[in-house]
């Protein structure tokens, strides 16, 4: 159950409450750390260094594209760096208002 609010406005149809993931668990950090470790352990010893650097260049380019997409798209940034709130225990009104104003808790909305 995702905390979703139907706004019904001209620009925003509904909004989901989200919170920031801790940096090791974000999807622009953890999968690439695993891929770099796999590259180091399996690819580098098995093929010559030029081919291993070509594979590394592919991994780095995918990582850079992921970082650029997080800068270009709000939906992709919310998918990668935030998680949706699923419990109402997070919704203490005082904390909610405070977090909205200091940018620790965001609304992720769907446009009409």
């Amino acid at each position: 159950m995702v905390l979703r609010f139907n706004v019904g406005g001209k620009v925003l149809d509904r909004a989901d409450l989200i919170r920031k993931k801790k940096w090791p668990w974000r999807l622009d950090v953890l999968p690439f750390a695993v891929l770099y470790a796999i590259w180091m352990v399996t690819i580098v010893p098995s093929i010559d260094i030029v081919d291993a650097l070509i594979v590394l260049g592919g991994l780095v380019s995918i990582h850079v594209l992921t970082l650029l997409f997080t800068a270009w798209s709000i939906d992709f940034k919310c998918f990668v760096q935030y998680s949706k709130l699923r419990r109402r225990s997070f919704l203490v009104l005082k904390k909610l208002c405070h977090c909205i104003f200091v940018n620790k808790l965001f609304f992720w909305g769907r446009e009409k």
Side-chain angles (χ1 to χ4, degrees):
M1 178 181 150
V2 177
L3 294 175
R4 179 169 290 151
F5 298 101
N6 292 324
V7 178
K10 291 182 180 180
V11 178
L12 189 66
D13 186 32
R14 69 176 192 248
D16 297 328
L17 284 177
I18 58 175
R19 68 177 173 162
K20 197 167 188 119
K21 293 180 184 176
K22 296 185 185 212
W23 71 269
W25 300 109
R26 293 180 2 187
L27 294 178
D28 57 347
V29 176
L30 182 66
F32 290 103
V34 171
L35 286 174
Y36 291 134
I38 290 172
W39 174 80
M40 193 69 147
V41 171
T42 60
I43 301 293
V44 172
S46 65
I47 59 177
D48 55 323
I49 193 68
V50 175
D51 294 336
L53 288 176
I54 291 172
V55 172
L56 178 65
L59 287 175
V60 169
S61 65
I62 293 171
H63 198 176
V64 167
L65 280 175
T66 303
L67 294 175
L68 286 175
F69 278 127
T70 58
W72 291 332
S73 172
I74 292 175
D75 286 336
F76 190 75
K77 181 177 184 176
C78 289
F79 173 72
V80 169
Q81 296 180 358
Y82 297 90
S83 62
K84 293 182 180 181
L85 292 180
R86 301 195 186 278
R87 293 181 286 165
R88 291 205 181 268
S89 63
F90 290 106
L91 284 180
V92 177
L93 187 60
K94 187 175 181 180
K95 288 183 181 179
L96 177 65
C97 292
H98 176 70
C99 290
I100 288 172
F101 290 118
V102 296
N103 293 330
K104 293 194 186 259
L105 185 70
F106 297 98
F107 286 103
W108 180 14
R110 300 256 176 178
E111 295 181 5
K112 281 187 174 180

